[in-house]
Amino acid sequence: MFPIMPIKPLFTFILSQFYIKLAGSVVLVLCVMLLVGCAERSLTFLPAPTAGAAAIDPLLGLTLVNAAPIVQYDLVEFAVTGPQVDNPYDPAQADLRAYFQSPAGAVQMAPAFWSQPFDRQTRRAGSPGWLLRFTPHEAGEWHVYLEDALTGHRSETVAFTVAPAAARGFVRIDPQNPRYFAYDNGEPMLVIGLNLGWSNGDVLADYARWFDALSQNGGNLARVWMASWAFGIEWRDTGLGDYRQRMYEAWLLDQVFQMAEERGITIMLTLINHGAFSTSVNPEWDANPYNAANGGSLSNPAAFVEDAQAKALFKRRLRYMAARWGYSTSLFAWEWWNEVNWTGIDDRTLTPWIQEMTPVLQEFDPYDHLITNSFSNGAGSSTWALPEIDVSQQHDYTGGDLIETLTTDRRRITNTAPDKPLLMGELGYSAGAQIDLDAMHLHTGLWAAPFVGYAGGSMYWWWDTFVDPQNQWHQFGALARFFADEDIGALTPTTADILPQGAQALALQKADRALVWVRSDAYSVPAAQAIYDKAIREAIKTKQKLTDWQYEPAELTGLSLSVQGLDDGDYLLRWYDPGTGEWGAEEELRIEGGTATVAIPTFRTDQALKIVKR
């Protein structure tokens, strides 16, 4: 028996025994690799295959596609020589797995996948074949070989070198505050984004335009759907478990991810839209291949989460999606369902489904991407508390005062999942039918959410009928400029006092710093809608047409703001206009007794300010 000793002496002891007595032992080599690799964080450690016993198969091979140099967090892509089978999407016919060994000795597994390329200009299909994608997190020499899990045969080992790079890496839960996000390199991430679910026109041109506008205005997240009419890879035209008729859609999603990576944008990828399994809300059930009427095994949509055949087929799809898009540092999170409550699936059956599917996704996603799920207006869910769900997410189209709505919903959801980030994944009002009201709703949702404790601004829905055609991108830029260089996870949401009445103030602060957002009570959709409705009634009464209606709240003047809980000392105060994204003049401020009292400039809609200790 070995004596009990600290890890480092134990490592030295084993290594010495290795050199003295057991130079040829494969088992001890694996032990050494594991001990060295334990120093790495956020890796999935997998038992290395029995390399010594596996036969080298000349019909299995890996050819590096990348041009040099390869740097940390870059995509490393291999062309794969593998078996030719009837259905390469079925792992029962071909199960190709690559094992990557890092310079530190840790092992990660990534599956190969069948793909068909298309020409970017002509959109003509090229020759299909096997591909392998991997993202190395560490600089140095890596080694990889391919194994056919059905036969146990493996390829020759291929080596490649990764150069160091100052990259942000993947999005994680902030280790300093689990209600927020941070990148691998520690840089905090405040979500600033919106839904860009699909394109009804030229997909690549639309996403290039949208991503350009979002990135130029400091945005960092887009929510994209794998719907049947967009990037879905399994539908009635494919049948179940064979995606060859949807390789063009998969290729388009490749291009979208590449464009996002080039612009520093991440993607929340929605795997199932509610309509695919709904008979009442945006229903597509009649065309769903899982429907027994179309040859599937399900007599009703809700059976999808309980039927053994349906679950097995979806696990196959999960494997493919993880293999093809899991590599990307621009994959913010996998989202199981959009608004699953419209499908008839309830928490009772959804919970075991999530618990069964999550390990499958994680097996083939060696990067441990975040996982989320969503529900519609006011829908609550016990699944937010599941350890398999990393991010709580809600949607809202109620049109209420968002300060009240977000405050109430945040309290309700965090009571269920207290130590998780919360996002408003969809926010919407009138689809641009009344521009002033939608602009107000978008603006208030962006600013109110982070100030009441959400992990980012609310993500607006009407991207194609309002945000883009009405050029509302500057709204995102104004929020991004205010929060630039701020670590929101280090601040605590609270409120500030305003005297006299007529406005509300929300704050994010710590002992030596306060960010404050002041909003007029008249600058809300309910207040504006009441005025708009009155104008409509008056127009009908006078038999006139209401055109070019605009809403302008009354000026507020003579208000003062009181911020409490700050350390005494000298501070710098600077006002900010959230509408224009412009900073005002700096002012000196002396705080004594822990309270800062500040006169608020005359305003109509909202104002923001920073109070920072010198």
Side-chain angles (χ1 to χ4, degrees):
M1 295 177 64
F2 292 117
I4 297 174
M5 61 182 71
I7 290 295
K8 194 169 183 179
L10 177 60
F11 175 86
T12 304
F13 175 78
I14 293 175
L15 193 60
S16 67
Q17 296 302 305
F18 167 77
Y19 281 118
I20 296 169
K21 298 179 180 179
L22 302 170
S25 172
V26 173
V27 173
L28 194 53
V29 169
L30 295 177
C31 290
V32 172
M33 288 169 58
L34 180 60
L35 284 172
V36 173
C38 282
E40 300 190 12
R41 67 182 181 87
S42 69
L43 280 178
T44 301
F45 287 87
L46 300 171
T50 54
I56 301 297
D57 187 341
L59 299 180
L60 295 176
L62 294 170
T63 303
L64 185 64
V65 175
N66 290 67
I70 300 171
V71 301
Q72 282 175 284
Y73 292 106
D74 261 5
L75 164 64
V76 179
E77 191 167 65
F78 295 86
V80 175
T81 303
Q84 302 299 305
V85 295
D86 291 337
N87 182 3
Y89 308 99
D90 182 359
Q93 297 187 37
D95 189 353
L96 301 179
R97 304 183 180 207
Y99 291 86
F100 291 83
Q101 180 183 308
S102 76
V107 176
Q108 292 172 277
M109 185 276 289
F113 63 96
W114 188 259
S115 174
Q116 183 168 30
F118 290 81
D119 182 85
R120 186 83 181 248
Q121 301 301 319
T122 65
R123 311 292 171 93
R124 291 176 181 169
S127 299
W130 293 102
L131 282 179
L132 172 65
R133 290 173 176 169
F134 183 72
T135 297
H137 69 286
E138 183 182 334
E141 186 172 84
W142 287 73
H143 296 85
V144 57
Y145 66 82
L146 186 72
E147 183 176 85
D148 184 339
L150 300 180
T151 65
H153 292 179
R154 52 161 289 187
S155 72
E156 296 283 0
T157 298
V158 174
F160 60 96
T161 301
V162 176
R168 296 184 306 186
F170 294 94
V171 179
R172 309 293 183 191
I173 301 298
D174 187 342
Q176 306 303 317
N177 188 335
R179 291 186 177 182
Y180 296 92
F181 303 107
Y183 295 95
D184 275 336
N185 69 349
E187 179 184 331
M189 178 190 183
L190 174 72
V191 167
I192 300 175
L194 78 167
N195 288 269
L196 296 173
W198 59 83
S199 163
N200 290 318
D202 185 327
V203 174
L204 301 187
D206 283 345
Y207 274 95
R209 185 178 72 258
W210 296 336
F211 283 170
D212 280 343
L214 183 59
S215 64
Q216 289 164 9
N217 284 280
N220 53 27
L221 179 59
R223 186 165 171 264
V224 176
W225 283 23
M226 294 193 73
S228 62
W229 62 88
F231 304 110
I233 60 171
E234 184 178 56
W235 198 239
R236 185 166 58 180
D237 56 338
T238 67
L240 292 171
D242 186 339
Y243 319 127
R244 71 190 72 199
Q245 297 302 319
R246 288 294 183 111
M247 285 296 94
Y248 180 66
E249 285 77 7
W251 175 82
L252 284 174
L253 188 54
D254 285 346
Q255 312 312 304
V256 170
F257 266 102
Q258 182 179 336
M259 288 189 287
E261 291 159 12
E262 293 167 351
R263 294 160 175 81
I265 292 171
T266 62
I267 291 173
M268 182 190 296
L269 190 61
T270 305
L271 304 185
I272 313 174
N273 58 297
H274 63 279
F277 291 90
S278 179
T279 59
S280 57
V281 180
N282 310 117
E284 299 175 80
W285 175 243
D286 288 347
N288 193 321
Y290 285 88
N291 189 335
N294 299 321
S297 60
L298 305 183
S299 60
N300 66 84
F304 176 72
V305 296
E306 295 182 292
D307 180 81
Q309 182 180 344
K311 289 191 291 184
L313 285 164
F314 187 69
K315 289 175 183 177
R316 184 188 304 184
R317 198 201 310 181
L318 281 181
R319 174 200 170 106
Y320 187 87
M321 293 185 291
R324 186 151 189 167
W325 298 293
Y327 79 89
S328 181
T329 55
S330 279
L331 178 59
F332 172 85
W334 307 103
E335 180 181 7
W336 289 122
W337 293 82
N338 172 73
E339 299 184 356
V340 63
N341 52 290
W342 295 125
T343 65
I345 298 169
D346 58 20
D347 283 3
R348 178 187 60 83
T349 55
L350 180 63
T351 294
W353 184 85
I354 290 174
Q355 292 170 329
E356 182 176 348
M357 293 299 158
T358 299
V360 176
L361 183 56
Q362 291 174 333
E363 178 184 5
F364 299 110
D365 173 11
Y367 316 100
D368 195 24
H369 286 288
L370 302 176
I371 296 175
T372 185
N373 202 32
S374 68
F375 303 84
S376 64
N377 287 347
S381 176
S382 61
T383 61
W384 283 320
L386 292 175
E388 290 83 1
I389 298 295
D390 300 301
V391 182
S392 302
Q393 183 191 162
Q394 69 171 130
H395 298 172
D396 187 89
Y397 292 85
T398 60
D401 184 338
L402 286 171
I403 290 181
E404 298 176 5
T405 300
L406 291 166
T407 300
T408 300
D409 286 346
R410 184 246 182 186
R411 184 181 302 115
R412 172 174 58 91
I413 295 170
T414 54
N415 280 341
T416 301
D419 294 319
K420 295 181 182 181
L422 171 59
L423 290 176
M424 177 64 80
E426 284 186 24
L427 178 69
Y429 191 59
S430 68
Q434 181 33 252
I435 294 171
D436 271 18
L437 298 183
D438 268 292
M440 185 185 309
H441 209 53
L442 165 64
H443 181 90
T444 307
L446 283 172
W447 284 85
F451 273 99
V452 302
Y454 285 67
S458 297
M459 299 177 66
Y460 218 66
W461 175 254
W462 305 111
W463 76 93
D464 52 349
T465 60
F466 172 62
V467 173
D468 187 51
Q470 296 299 330
N471 195 22
Q472 294 290 317
W473 298 105
H474 65 279
Q475 301 255 31
F476 303 91
L479 186 71
R481 281 189 289 278
F482 182 78
F483 278 101
D485 303 321
E486 295 288 349
D487 182 359
I488 191 172
L491 304 173
T492 300
T494 185
T495 58
D497 296 327
I498 290 182
L499 294 173
Q501 302 299 311
Q504 299 181 62
L506 304 175
L508 293 164
Q509 66 182 79
K510 56 181 181 176
D512 61 353
R513 189 179 202 87
L515 314 183
V516 185
W517 179 57
V518 179
R519 193 213 65 176
S520 167
D521 290 340
Y523 190 60
S524 72
V525 162
Q529 185 70 58
I531 301 299
Y532 180 68
D533 291 344
K534 182 179 179 180
I536 288 286
R537 291 193 297 270
E538 186 64 27
I540 294 173
K541 184 178 179 180
T542 59
K543 298 182 180 180
Q544 294 179 350
K545 188 176 181 180
L546 185 65
T547 58
D548 300 325
W549 179 85
Q550 291 183 321
Y551 178 66
E552 188 174 57
E555 278 191 349
L556 292 175
T557 188
L559 274 61
S560 63
L561 172 71
S562 178
V563 181
Q564 299 180 352
L566 293 171
D567 289 342
D568 289 352
D570 293 324
Y571 285 75
L572 193 65
L573 180 151
R574 198 173 186 188
W575 287 97
Y576 183 81
D577 187 335
T580 64
E582 296 179 354
W583 289 99
E586 295 180 351
E587 302 176 24
E588 302 284 346
L589 179 66
R590 176 71 182 174
I591 295 180
E592 296 180 353
T595 300
T597 302
V598 180
I600 303 173
T602 298
F603 72 105
R604 291 182 182 273
T605 57
D606 58 344
Q607 288 283 290
L609 75 155
K610 290 187 180 184
I611 305 173
V612 181
K613 193 173 185 181
R614 285 186 174 279

